[in-house]
Amino acid sequence: MTQPPPGPMMPPPPEGVAPPAGYYPPPPNLPPPSGRTNGFAIASLVFGIIGGVLLAVIFGFVALSQIRKRGDKGRGMAIAGLVLSAVWVLLLVAVFVVGDGLGAKRDTSTGQVTESGKLEVFDLKDGDCFNNVPAEDKEIMAVDAVPCTQPHDAEVLSQVQVSSTGEYPGVDKIAGEIEKLCVDKVGARVEASPIADQLGIFYFYPTKESWARGDRAGTCVAVASTNGKLTAPVGK
């Protein structure tokens, strides 16, 4: 028994007209699944996890484009890489905002500290006051700056430059040189201060790491030599 020839194919209905019963639109022209996982999707996820935001975003969009064209696996990984990149950006913004809020504030005209907060050692200026003087053998990056009108432990008096060049001369030599420069430059000023009996001389000196970045400066500081606090400038 022979089958009757197939009838003519039903054309798609005009736009805006509902399809007749039994009509199904043709499936979209999608590529067959390739069965492989897209390499850019994997890279996007990895960089998203470790914080490589720019690469994660680039690889993520490349992966989504290739997956759409090739039918690769890995769409979820590419999206995860993009989401993680957004999370990293939000975290960095939060850290920046919080860090800026914790930093000391200066008067724009006089340069004096007007609001307490963290101040990097490299940003200390003459006349800055701070608390919690570190131990002489402790490396620090920042101090707790306060307005000099408030009780404080120390006041910056001057900056000095060492004459040593070449490789880092070592802690003992560089500290000794900075100490001598500070005593020569501010020793008489400390002795002549109205509060000389409350003062001692402290100094910051370059570390091996900062020396490699070109740091050749020392910072001379007057510190309270008793358990009390300084409440007035050292004096000129």
Side-chain angles (χ1 to χ4, degrees):
M1 180 176 180
T2 60
Q3 295 291 333
M9 292 184 64
M10 181 180 294
E15 185 176 354
V17 177
Y23 173 79
Y24 299 95
N29 187 22
L30 296 177
S34 67
R36 63 189 176 192
T37 301
N38 187 275
F40 283 106
I42 298 173
S44 177
L45 178 61
V46 171
F47 280 103
I49 292 173
I50 66 176
V53 174
L54 181 59
L55 291 176
V57 171
I58 293 174
F59 292 157
F61 282 114
V62 171
L64 290 176
S65 175
Q66 291 185 352
I67 290 170
R68 187 166 53 250
K69 295 176 181 178
R70 302 176 183 176
D72 293 348
K73 297 179 181 179
R75 186 172 184 273
M77 288 188 289
I79 294 175
L82 294 173
V83 171
L84 288 171
S85 299
V87 172
W88 276 108
V89 170
L90 292 175
L91 287 174
L92 290 173
V93 170
V95 169
F96 177 80
V97 170
V98 172
D100 185 63
L102 295 176
K105 301 295 188 297
R106 293 185 183 275
D107 185 282
T108 55
S109 58
T110 65
Q112 294 180 337
V113 173
T114 56
E115 292 184 26
S116 303
K118 292 291 184 181
L119 195 62
E120 291 190 7
V121 172
F122 296 108
D123 293 332
L124 287 173
K125 299 179 180 180
D126 293 2
D128 285 346
C129 298
F130 60 91
N131 284 315
N132 302 324
V133 177
E136 292 187 7
D137 58 347
K138 182 179 179 181
E139 181 179 343
I140 65 167
M141 295 299 296
V143 296
D144 298 320
V146 297
C148 290
T149 54
Q150 297 180 10
H152 52 276
D153 295 329
E155 177 185 339
V156 177
L157 299 184
S158 184
Q159 308 287 331
V160 294
Q161 293 287 327
V162 301
S163 59
S164 301
T165 58
E167 295 184 357
Y168 188 65
V171 172
D172 292 341
K173 185 174 181 180
I174 197 67
E177 185 175 353
I178 294 292
E179 181 180 18
K180 183 178 185 305
L181 289 171
C182 285
V183 171
D184 291 344
K185 190 165 187 180
V186 304
R189 176 180 169 186
V190 171
E191 292 177 358
S193 171
I195 55 173
D197 59 333
Q198 305 175 36
L199 300 176
I201 295 179
F202 181 83
Y203 49 88
F204 292 109
Y205 54 86
T207 64
K208 185 176 183 179
E209 291 75 17
S210 67
W211 184 274
R213 297 192 297 269
D215 179 22
R216 300 293 186 273
T219 303
C220 309
V221 181
V223 298
S225 57
T226 64
N227 293 329
K229 295 277 189 177
L230 302 178
T231 55
V234 171
K236 301 299 184 182

